[in-house]
Amino acid sequence: MAVIEQPDDKIESSLAAWWRHFRYVVSENPVTLFAFCLFGMFVFLAFFGPWIVPFDPLASDTSSALQPPSWKHWFGTDNLGRDVFSRVIVATRLDFMIAFSAVALSFVIGSVLGCLSGYYGGWTDRIVGRSVDTIMAFPLFVLAMGIVAALGNTVENIVYATAIINLPFYTRVARAEVNIRRQAGFVDAAKLAGNSDARLLTFHLYPNILPPMMVQVSLNLGWAILNAAGLSFIGLGVRPPSPEWGIMVAEGATFIVSGQWWLALFPGAALMLAVFCFNLLGDGLRDLIDPQRRT
Amino acid sequence: MTDTSDIPLLAIKDLTVEFKTRSGVVEALHEVGFEVHKREMVGVVGESGSGKSVTAYTVMGILDRAGRATGGSANFGGFEMIGARERDLRELRGREASMIFQSPRTALNPIRKVGAQIEDVLLQHTQVHHRDVKQKAIDLLAQVRILRPEQRYHAYPYELSGGMCQRVMIAIALACEPALLIADEPTTGLDVTTQKATMDIVRDLTSARNMAAILITHDLGLAARYCQRIVVMQSGEVVESAPTDVLFSDPQHPYTKKLIQATPRPDSRLEDLSDVAKDDERVSAATASTELEVEGEAPPLLEVRGLVKEYPLHETAERRRVMDRILRPNLTPSPSVFRAVDAIDFVVGSGESVGLVGESGCGKSTTSSMVTRLLDPTEGTILFDGEDIGAIPARKFARHPLRAAIQMVFQDPTESLNPRFSAFDAIAEPLRRLGAPMDRTSLAHTIEELATMVGLPTELLTRFPHQLSGGQKARVGIARAIALRPKLLILDEPTSALDVSVQAVVLLLLDRLRRELGMTYIFVSHDLNVVRLLCDRVIVMNEGRIVETGKASELLTNPKEDYTRALVEAIPHFGQSEGMPTLEGSVA
């Protein structure tokens, strides 16, 4: 992302520098390396999952229902005889799509609102601040449930609901970060160089608040995945039979009492691993974005 | 005054300290050794990175975890400090040896009353009874010459000025009557008059208690005024150590000579500094003809008339004012606004260099912000080349054609550079926004020219601010300011964050640029010696008003107003006797 801010005259060399910096950050911290590897695996599965899975995730086969994990069905089969492994893999795409679009949406809107209220202060700040407080006043998951229930039970509405409940965090981080830099010398210097307020915010202040925002993004991604899965779990949003971790856990939960643990365990583990990966990724992303870490 | 008793209170010998960093182990101190005797104040002098603070931290055992003393000893009254157990050291710190730090405001706990913070130390180390501890704390506040100590006992650090906070720190440091006080840059960031008051307190109290003190400073003048012996450090080594008068009359080491030469004195001239700059090959110190061509009757470039800036007072003050009016109606109401700049007039001639001098809070920065059109004046006119630019709102001025004509060099070279912009981009920014459109190659060419002009090696242009040294960052800031060839350049303490030798180079550079480009300077500073080197005329401000105006040479050698005199006399420099007249009233 920082590459975009570079002068556009030496794209190749700045890309190379970017790559070198990435390798440095990763080699510096093995946890970051692990997180990036995990993330890379998830992204790979999200893109190519449907082509690499051994079974059709939607094809039911009642003759082989509720089989425990075996060499043929690594994660076992569910009550309709569908392969749990294939379903867990294919679900990655849907879950990541929901999480990414929701976080991207709240990141963009939140940082714009936060920058404006942090930079201008006064009434802008009061209006934005109080609106955001209103969102925060609700229990967030209940608010998301309400939004999906009101707007209709679709995947898009899950994205909107997740975006809305995450908005306050981005707005607040962006506001605070812009506010402390508003009086900095480099902002005055940029004004002297003839930058308008809009330019100053976009090209001078905004890039400087990216590192803390990135940490927020990463933590939030895990949270958004949980949120989407949670909504599906209680029957909102994604509907069966489409493979999705939340629904799979919900469906599998009924079978745990009867001993078929694999139905809920594997999608739950995938969910956990994804959240874990995003939480670890935060620090690495910050190091990557922060120019102070460049050598 | 020097005590020649044989056993030193603190004897540091061959002290070597290493730091673990990302790029391997770095030796911060190399066999440092000096002694401190009873009733003696020793100055440890050097530029940033010379290891003066590391020495003190190592002796006190408060080095951070990456650092480690690998050799040597520090014997404090028979007790070996290096490698001592943390428990023993903790007992020693505060009671036997204490320390005051650079930024008093951050060293004090912001949410506790200062009185309570003094009591903490008393209760921790000595057997003062709970019943007497408050009285003792108030006594200490009185000893550091804080007026109305009973009331100030209840003050929080934010309610006190920087100088006051440092006095509280001194009170804390001296609370347990230690034998040694280490003062680490105790007056950085304080005004000269406050600095003098603070250092006088340190000197008087330490000598009254037969204490020894170590003064760590980058300011040779300050060390010269207060210390009996001076230790000069350079990159982790002691290069010279001598009694103060001997050091200044007969410096032995070339580095000491260089430092002495780079420090501006009341009688030094720019040419004197050029010897320092010779080390810096990139600056061609062509200061032969410093005779300034502008004499008096230059056409005015900037004319300021009746300039006022008012700020609304704090809400609680406003509330108190309303209450006052209700409860005491016959009292004259106090003003609801604070006048930071109070109806000032001045003229700056084309090609002139004018110094704007005063202590912090005198309104000099507010004035310069209004002139640069970053801040809107409440009243008054700012005529620039005959046009009233004060009437144009600051927000609209970014698009005004005169924007390019007024530029500024900022005080803090680090803070004024965008951490995400390389040096190249920082310099290119004004050209891209305000300059004539040019293609990429000619832009690169122009920037390389600018870099050469300010003595910045062109290979450093791709670097980011954190990869540059302080002096290099200052040069980037200057290059950026002159990129548009402004008519008026405002310099807001451009050298205050720099070491003296770098300061000398930057001053020479600024002087050369002015002559080459024919710019007009407004030089905002609190350092009168520096102002005198660069300015033809000086404007002295106090409490938002202009106190005195005059030719730099005359005003600083023969000030007419008391305030100016106090300001001039508070500057510490070497070759000066003790017992200067003080300025008690205005700092207490």
Coordinates of all heavy atoms in Angstrom, one line a residue, chain B residues 164-210:
Chain B
M164 N 9.1 25.9 36.9 CA 8.6 25.5 38.2 C 8.7 24.0 38.4 O 9.1 23.5 39.4 CB 7.1 25.9 38.3 CG 6.9 27.4 38.4 SD 7.4 27.9 40.1 CE 6.6 29.5 40.1
C165 N 8.3 23.3 37.3 CA 8.4 21.8 37.4 C 9.8 21.4 37.6 O 10.0 20.5 38.4 CB 7.9 21.2 36.1 SG 6.1 21.2 35.9
Q166 N 10.8 22.0 37.0 CA 12.1 21.7 37.2 C 12.6 22.0 38.6 O 13.3 21.2 39.2 CB 13.1 22.4 36.2 CG 14.5 21.8 36.1 CD 14.5 20.3 35.8 OE1 14.2 19.5 36.6 NE2 14.9 20.0 34.6
R167 N 12.0 23.0 39.2 CA 12.3 23.3 40.6 C 11.8 22.3 41.5 O 12.4 21.9 42.5 CB 11.7 24.7 41.0 CG 12.4 25.8 40.4 CD 11.8 27.1 40.8 NE 12.2 28.2 39.9 CZ 12.2 29.4 40.2 NH1 11.8 29.8 41.4 NH2 12.6 30.3 39.4
V168 N 10.6 21.8 41.2 CA 10.0 20.7 42.0 C 10.9 19.5 41.9 O 11.1 18.8 42.9 CB 8.5 20.4 41.5 CG1 8.0 19.1 42.2 CG2 7.6 21.6 41.8
M169 N 11.4 19.2 40.7 CA 12.3 18.1 40.5 C 13.5 18.2 41.3 O 14.0 17.3 41.9 CB 12.7 17.9 39.0 CG 11.7 17.3 38.1 SD 11.1 15.7 38.7 CE 12.7 14.7 38.6
I170 N 14.0 19.4 41.4 CA 15.2 19.7 42.2 C 14.9 19.4 43.7 O 15.7 18.8 44.4 CB 15.7 21.1 42.0 CG1 16.2 21.3 40.6 CG2 16.9 21.4 43.0 CD1 16.5 22.8 40.2
A171 N 13.7 19.9 44.1 CA 13.3 19.7 45.5 C 13.2 18.2 45.8 O 13.7 17.7 46.8 CB 11.9 20.3 45.7
I172 N 12.7 17.4 44.8 CA 12.6 16.0 45.0 C 14.0 15.3 45.1 O 14.3 14.5 46.0 CB 11.8 15.3 43.9 CG1 10.3 15.7 44.0 CG2 11.9 13.8 43.9 CD1 9.5 15.2 42.9
A173 N 14.9 15.8 44.2 CA 16.2 15.3 44.1 C 17.0 15.6 45.4 O 17.8 14.8 45.9 CB 17.0 15.8 42.9
L174 N 16.7 16.7 46.0 CA 17.5 17.1 47.2 C 16.8 16.8 48.5 O 17.4 17.0 49.6 CB 17.8 18.6 47.2 CG 18.6 19.2 46.0 CD1 18.9 20.6 46.1 CD2 19.9 18.4 45.8
A175 N 15.6 16.2 48.4 CA 14.8 15.9 49.6 C 15.6 15.1 50.6 O 15.5 15.4 51.8 CB 13.6 15.2 49.2
C176 N 16.4 14.1 50.2 CA 17.0 13.3 51.2 C 18.5 13.7 51.4 O 19.3 12.9 51.9 CB 16.9 11.8 50.8 SG 15.2 11.3 50.6
E177 N 18.8 14.9 51.1 CA 20.1 15.4 51.3 C 21.2 14.4 50.7 O 22.0 13.9 51.5 CB 20.4 15.6 52.8 CG 19.2 16.3 53.5 CD 19.6 17.6 54.1 OE1 20.8 17.7 54.6 OE2 18.8 18.5 54.1
P178 N 21.2 14.2 49.4 CA 22.1 13.3 48.9 C 23.5 13.9 48.8 O 23.6 15.1 49.0 CB 21.6 13.0 47.5 CG 20.9 14.3 47.1 CD 20.3 14.7 48.4
A179 N 24.5 13.1 48.6 CA 25.9 13.6 48.5 C 26.2 14.0 47.1 O 27.1 14.8 46.8 CB 26.9 12.6 49.0
L180 N 25.5 13.5 46.1 CA 25.8 13.7 44.7 C 24.5 14.0 44.0 O 23.5 13.3 44.1 CB 26.5 12.5 44.1 CG 26.8 12.6 42.6 CD1 27.8 13.6 42.3 CD2 27.2 11.2 42.1
L181 N 24.5 15.0 43.1 CA 23.3 15.3 42.3 C 23.8 15.3 40.8 O 24.8 15.9 40.5 CB 22.8 16.7 42.6 CG 21.7 17.2 41.6 CD1 20.4 16.5 42.0 CD2 21.5 18.7 41.8
I182 N 23.1 14.5 40.0 CA 23.4 14.5 38.6 C 22.3 15.2 37.9 O 21.1 14.8 38.0 CB 23.5 13.0 38.1 CG1 24.7 12.3 38.8 CG2 23.8 13.0 36.6 CD1 24.8 10.9 38.4
A183 N 22.6 16.2 37.1 CA 21.6 17.0 36.4 C 21.9 16.8 34.9 O 22.9 17.1 34.4 CB 21.8 18.5 36.7
D184 N 20.9 16.1 34.3 CA 21.0 15.7 32.9 C 20.3 16.7 32.0 O 19.1 16.7 31.9 CB 20.5 14.3 32.7 CG 20.7 13.8 31.2 OD1 21.4 14.5 30.5 OD2 20.3 12.7 30.9
E185 N 21.0 17.6 31.4 CA 20.4 18.7 30.6 C 19.2 19.3 31.3 O 18.1 19.3 30.8 CB 19.9 18.1 29.2 CG 21.0 17.4 28.4 CD 21.7 18.4 27.4 OE1 21.4 19.6 27.5 OE2 22.4 17.9 26.6
P186 N 19.4 19.9 32.5 CA 18.3 20.2 33.3 C 17.5 21.4 32.8 O 16.4 21.7 33.2 CB 18.9 20.6 34.7 CG 20.3 21.0 34.4 CD 20.7 20.2 33.2
T187 N 18.1 22.2 31.9 CA 17.5 23.4 31.4 C 17.1 23.4 30.0 O 16.7 24.5 29.4 CB 18.3 24.6 31.8 OG1 19.6 24.5 31.1 CG2 18.5 24.8 33.3
T188 N 17.2 22.3 29.3 CA 16.8 22.3 27.9 C 15.4 22.6 27.8 O 14.5 22.0 28.5 CB 17.1 20.9 27.3 OG1 18.5 20.6 27.6 CG2 16.9 20.9 25.8
G189 N 15.0 23.5 26.9 CA 13.6 23.8 26.7 C 13.1 24.9 27.6 O 12.0 25.3 27.5
L190 N 14.0 25.4 28.5 CA 13.6 26.5 29.3 C 14.2 27.8 28.7 O 15.2 27.8 28.1 CB 14.1 26.3 30.7 CG 13.7 25.1 31.5 CD1 14.3 25.0 32.9 CD2 12.2 25.0 31.6
D191 N 13.6 28.9 29.0 CA 14.1 30.2 28.6 C 15.4 30.5 29.3 O 15.7 30.0 30.3 CB 13.0 31.3 28.9 CG 11.9 31.2 27.9 OD1 12.1 31.0 26.7 OD2 10.7 31.4 28.4
V192 N 16.1 31.5 28.7 CA 17.4 31.8 29.3 C 17.3 32.3 30.7 O 18.1 32.0 31.6 CB 18.2 32.8 28.4 CG1 19.0 32.1 27.4 CG2 17.4 33.9 27.8
T193 N 16.3 33.2 30.9 CA 16.2 33.7 32.3 C 15.7 32.6 33.3 O 16.2 32.6 34.4 CB 15.1 34.9 32.3 OG1 13.9 34.4 31.7 CG2 15.7 36.1 31.6
T194 N 14.8 31.7 32.8 CA 14.4 30.6 33.7 C 15.6 29.7 33.9 O 15.8 29.2 35.0 CB 13.3 29.8 33.0 OG1 12.4 30.8 32.4 CG2 12.6 29.0 34.0
Q195 N 16.4 29.5 32.8 CA 17.6 28.6 32.9 C 18.5 29.1 34.0 O 19.0 28.4 34.9 CB 18.3 28.6 31.6 CG 19.7 28.2 31.7 CD 20.3 27.9 30.3 OE1 19.8 27.1 29.6 NE2 21.3 28.7 29.9
K196 N 18.7 30.5 34.0 CA 19.6 31.1 34.9 C 19.1 30.9 36.4 O 19.8 30.5 37.3 CB 19.8 32.5 34.6 CG 20.8 33.2 35.5 CD 21.1 34.6 35.0 CE 21.9 35.5 35.9 NZ 22.2 35.0 37.2
A197 N 17.8 31.2 36.5 CA 17.2 31.0 37.9 C 17.3 29.6 38.4 O 17.7 29.4 39.5 CB 15.7 31.5 37.8
T198 N 17.0 28.6 37.5 CA 17.1 27.2 37.9 C 18.5 26.8 38.3 O 18.7 26.2 39.3 CB 16.6 26.3 36.7 OG1 15.3 26.8 36.3 CG2 16.4 24.9 37.2
M199 N 19.5 27.2 37.4 CA 20.8 26.8 37.7 C 21.4 27.5 38.9 O 22.2 26.9 39.7 CB 21.7 27.1 36.5 CG 21.6 26.1 35.3 SD 21.7 24.4 35.8 CE 23.3 24.3 36.5
D200 N 20.9 28.7 39.2 CA 21.4 29.4 40.4 C 20.9 28.6 41.6 O 21.6 28.5 42.6 CB 20.8 30.8 40.4 CG 21.6 31.8 39.5 OD1 22.6 31.3 39.0 OD2 21.1 32.9 39.2
I201 N 19.7 28.1 41.5 CA 19.1 27.3 42.7 C 20.0 26.1 42.9 O 20.4 25.8 44.0 CB 17.7 27.0 42.4 CG1 16.8 28.2 42.5 CG2 17.2 25.9 43.4 CD1 15.4 28.0 42.0
V202 N 20.3 25.4 41.8 CA 21.1 24.2 41.9 C 22.4 24.5 42.5 O 22.9 23.8 43.4 CB 21.3 23.5 40.5 CG1 22.3 22.4 40.6 CG2 19.9 23.0 40.0
R203 N 23.0 25.6 42.0 CA 24.4 25.9 42.5 C 24.3 26.3 44.0 O 25.1 25.8 44.8 CB 25.0 27.1 41.7 CG 26.4 27.5 42.2 CD 26.8 28.8 41.6 NE 25.8 29.8 41.9 CZ 25.7 30.9 41.2 NH1 26.5 31.2 40.2 NH2 24.8 31.8 41.5
D204 N 23.4 27.1 44.4 CA 23.3 27.6 45.7 C 23.0 26.5 46.7 O 23.6 26.3 47.8 CB 22.2 28.7 45.9 CG 22.6 29.9 45.1 OD1 23.8 30.0 44.6 OD2 21.8 30.8 44.9
L205 N 22.0 25.6 46.3 CA 21.6 24.6 47.2 C 22.7 23.5 47.4 O 23.0 23.0 48.5 CB 20.3 23.9 46.8 CG 19.1 24.8 46.9 CD1 17.9 24.0 46.5 CD2 18.9 25.2 48.4
T206 N 23.4 23.2 46.3 CA 24.4 22.1 46.4 C 25.6 22.7 47.2 O 26.2 21.9 48.0 CB 24.9 21.7 45.0 OG1 25.2 22.8 44.2 CG2 23.9 20.8 44.3
S207 N 26.0 23.9 47.0 CA 27.1 24.4 47.8 C 26.8 24.6 49.2 O 27.6 24.3 50.1 CB 27.7 25.7 47.2 OG 26.8 26.7 47.3
A208 N 25.5 24.9 49.5 CA 25.1 25.1 50.9 C 25.1 23.7 51.6 O 25.3 23.7 52.8 CB 23.7 25.7 51.0
R209 N 24.9 22.7 50.9 CA 24.9 21.3 51.5 C 26.2 20.6 51.3 O 26.2 19.3 51.5 CB 23.7 20.5 50.9 CG 22.4 21.0 51.3 CD 21.4 20.6 50.2 NE 20.1 21.4 50.5 CZ 18.9 20.8 50.7 NH1 18.9 19.5 50.7 NH2 17.9 21.5 51.0
N210 N 27.2 21.2 50.8 CA 28.5 20.5 50.6 C 28.3 19.3 49.7 O 29.0 18.3 49.8 CB 29.1 20.1 51.9 CG 29.7 21.2 52.7 OD1 30.0 22.2 52.1 ND2 29.7 21.1 54.0

